[in-house]
Amino acid sequence: MRRRFASVRAKASLGATAVVAVALLAAGIAVLLSLRSNLTDRAGREADAAAREVALAIASRVPGRTGYAGLALPDEEDHPVQVVDESGRVLAAGKDLERISGTGQAAVTPVRSPAARGSAEPGASGDGVDGVDDSNASDSDDDSNDSNDSNDSDHTGDTGGRGRGGDDDAPAVGEIGRTSYATGSATVDGTTEDYRFATVEVTDGTGARVLVHAGASLAARQSAVGTAAVAMLVGLPVLLLVVGGVTWLVTRRALRPVEGIRREMAAITRSEDLSRRVPEPGTHDEVARLARTTNETLTALEAAVERQRRFVADASHELRSPIASLRTQLEVGEAHPELLDVPGAVADTVRLQRLAADLLLLARLDAGETPGRARFDLGALVREEVSQRTTDRIPVSLDLSAGLEVTGSRGQVARVLGNLLDNAQRHAAASVTVSVRREDGWTVLAVGDDGAGVPEAERERVFERFVRLDDARSRDDGGAGLGLAIARDVARRHGGALTAGRSPAGGALFVLRLPPADGGAC
């Protein structure tokens, strides 16, 4: 199971599905809340219209001895209505309205008007009439005020029940006050449903303040919200499956070239054939760039391996000749001591020593050896190195600028100078020149001679390892062909360059450019 979900396709599909699921869940909740709020507001507006219709009828009439019995009320199945006075006594209610909650009134039996209370039965009091439970009415009124604390106006005023009393917010005679809202339930003809109630305060023709509670059914809200929730619960898994499947297919199609690259790289590794290349898709996306970069890496690797193989073969060939020559001389000397060529044996040994030192230096350079960071005067180095070359065939002419310092390995730069002077001494006819100067922000060391020079077509190949031009094929005169290769590698390790050209005297001119110690190279 872990391996199945470890692929990029699986991770991308799961990630996309999870993100979409969270987004859809949040959007669904927001939609349901918005729908619920809108339908609740709509029911509130309907309840308010019903309450104000009744309040308008109350404001335009004076109750008789029968109270509000003749008050026209809306259909209680759609809009249950209850009219109460300031003390919570029920004055009028729908005939099928059995019980109501959420308005502060639980009882619904209407009582007579204040004008008829003088002839009420003995024992009746102002605290409870016609079966209305006073404690229940009081408690319900408190609940109504608590549930509508943020929206309702203060419905309690002067219990004298006449005029404005001491309440500045109470409406004048015949006026309708503000509306407050609450959510509760009502039982109509034995059926209990949830309603949105609107409470309107109104003053009737006698100056008595009454409250009109009218409700609007929330069944449409519950039905719509429930239907939307069911649709979302059914559609969400289907949509997530579609998102996951599409993401899986798209990711598989996008990663198909990557799998082709992987298979080809695995085949190259098994076959060790670095001439093979991975397929490059015809697109211009990241996968195509990956394929091109991989092929470029394979090309560089192939060239490096080929160069290493050629290096090993050339090194073996170069080492075999002096070793065979030295062995022959020693075997002859052992059999015929008088024929032993001691100077020749010493020369072969020295040549072997130099070749081994060159190979060791190349191995260190190939391994990425970093040169030192010492500062030294390049002109002083040249003067010192030339003064120590007492066996040179041709004297060296110097043209040195003082104070030009470079940073790096003093020994390696001296090795470069020695290799260039050896090459010049080998090919020069009558003159060898060395100059040090500042040019275009570089510190430049130039070694020239008046020999045959390097043909223009060979000026790059001459820096390859074990390369000797036709006029330098002799191992005695031309060396092993490593001097210039070592010189260029050292120059590059120091952040510089070594190039071949034509000297003013017509021979070869090798120019070494190094960044100055003060960092002024461009």
Side-chain angles (χ1 to χ4, degrees):
M1 182 65 68
R2 182 178 299 177
R3 291 176 58 88
R4 179 177 301 175
F5 292 101
S7 65
V8 175
R9 283 180 294 176
K11 292 178 180 178
S13 301
L14 291 177
T17 304
V19 170
V20 172
V22 172
L24 290 178
L25 184 61
I29 293 175
V31 168
L32 291 179
L33 292 178
S34 177
L35 178 62
R36 188 177 186 273
S37 176
N38 291 336
L39 293 177
T40 301
D41 292 342
R42 178 181 176 183
R45 289 192 297 270
E46 293 178 358
D48 178 61
R52 288 187 175 273
E53 180 182 356
V54 176
L56 183 62
I58 293 175
S60 62
R61 63 175 291 175
V62 176
R65 294 182 58 83
T66 59
Y68 290 89
L71 183 65
L73 300 178
D75 185 2
E76 61 269 16
E77 292 184 359
D78 296 330
H79 302 292
V81 175
Q82 183 186 63
V83 182
V84 300
D85 62 10
E86 289 180 303
S87 62
R89 295 182 181 88
V90 179
L91 303 178
K95 63 178 182 178
D96 293 330
L97 179 61
E98 300 174 1
R99 185 173 181 81
I100 189 171
S101 66
T103 65
Q105 304 300 320
V108 298
T109 304
V111 301
R112 288 186 291 271
S113 68
R117 290 174 188 164
S119 60
E121 295 82 0
S125 66
D127 293 333
V129 293
D130 290 354
V132 177
D133 187 0
D134 180 59
S135 62
N136 186 27
S138 176
D139 292 342
S140 300
D141 190 50
D142 292 341
D143 293 340
S144 176
N145 290 332
D146 290 342
S147 65
N148 298 283
D149 185 62
S150 62
N151 297 320
D152 296 358
S153 60
D154 188 0
H155 298 320
T156 61
D158 183 11
T159 58
R162 297 289 181 180
R164 300 176 63 87
D167 190 353
D168 294 337
D169 294 334
V173 175
E175 290 186 357
I176 300 175
R178 291 175 297 179
T179 304
S180 61
Y181 298 91
T183 300
S185 62
T187 302
V188 179
D189 197 17
T191 302
T192 301
E193 292 184 4
D194 292 333
Y195 288 85
R196 182 66 170 172
F197 290 102
T199 300
V200 177
E201 183 179 0
V202 62
T203 303
D204 62 13
T206 65
R209 287 187 297 175
V210 298
L211 301 177
V212 179
H213 304 297
S217 177
L218 294 176
R221 183 193 73 175
Q222 296 169 348
S223 176
V225 172
T227 302
V230 171
M232 291 180 181
L233 291 177
V234 173
L236 181 61
V238 176
L239 183 58
L240 292 180
L241 287 176
V242 172
V243 170
V246 170
T247 305
W248 177 276
L249 295 176
V250 171
T251 307
R252 183 178 66 176
R253 180 178 180 85
L255 294 179
R256 187 176 299 163
V258 177
E259 178 61 21
I261 294 174
R262 187 203 65 79
R263 286 197 300 266
E264 186 62 24
M265 288 295 294
I268 292 173
T269 302
R270 289 192 300 268
S271 65
E272 298 183 358
D273 183 7
L274 296 178
S275 63
R276 299 175 61 173
R277 296 294 179 266
V278 300
E280 294 187 14
T283 59
H284 300 281
D285 54 8
E286 292 82 356
V287 177
R289 291 196 293 271
L290 173 64
R292 286 192 292 271
T293 303
T294 302
N295 285 335
E296 292 172 359
T297 302
L298 289 173
T299 300
L301 182 61
E302 181 185 16
V305 171
E306 182 62 28
R307 185 169 57 250
Q308 189 70 19
R309 289 173 178 171
R310 189 168 60 250
F311 174 79
V312 172
D314 292 340
S316 301
H317 180 73
E318 292 293 334
L319 287 172
R320 183 178 60 184
S321 298
I323 290 176
S325 175
L326 181 60
R327 177 181 178 180
T328 300
Q329 295 182 48
L330 292 177
E331 288 177 350
V332 170
E334 183 182 13
H336 306 281
E338 69 280 3
L339 299 178
L340 178 62
D341 184 7
V342 176
V346 172
D348 285 339
T349 303
V350 171
R351 184 165 176 268
L352 279 174
Q353 183 181 8
R354 290 178 179 175
L355 182 57
D358 288 345
L359 293 175
L360 178 60
L361 178 57
L362 284 174
R364 284 163 35 200
L365 293 174
D366 289 342
E369 181 182 65
T370 303
R373 303 298 301 171
R375 292 170 61 110
F376 55 91
D377 189 308
L378 185 58
L381 173 65
V382 171
R383 194 179 302 276
E384 179 182 347
E385 290 297 320
V386 171
S387 65
Q388 296 176 3
R389 298 176 65 91
T390 58
T391 60
D392 282 347
R393 180 173 60 90
I394 299 173
V396 179
S397 299
L398 301 179
D399 180 12
L400 309 176
S401 298
L404 298 181
E405 292 188 339
V406 295
T407 303
S409 171
R410 195 176 192 278
Q412 291 185 4
V413 175
R415 180 68 175 272
V416 172
L417 176 61
N419 289 350
L420 296 179
L421 288 175
D422 289 343
N423 183 76
Q425 290 288 340
R426 188 177 301 118
H427 297 92
S431 68
V432 175
T433 60
V434 178
S435 63
V436 175
R437 63 185 183 276
R438 177 66 64 88
E439 181 180 291
D440 296 333
W442 295 92
T443 300
V444 178
L445 167 64
V447 178
D449 61 67
D450 61 348
V454 180
E456 186 173 357
E458 304 287 344
R459 288 177 184 174
E460 279 301 316
R461 197 174 74 89
V462 75
F463 292 106
E464 296 179 7
R465 299 175 182 181
F466 299 104
V467 170
R468 292 185 299 271
L469 301 184
D470 293 339
D471 60 348
R473 287 295 183 182
S474 171
R475 290 189 177 86
D476 293 335
D477 296 333
L482 293 176
L484 294 179
I486 291 175
R488 170 166 277 190
D489 284 350
V490 171
R492 288 176 175 173
R493 294 293 177 184
H494 283 73
L498 178 62
T499 58
R502 183 177 180 86
S503 70
L509 177 66
F510 290 91
V511 179
L512 172 66
R513 289 179 172 84
L514 296 175
D518 56 11
C522 58

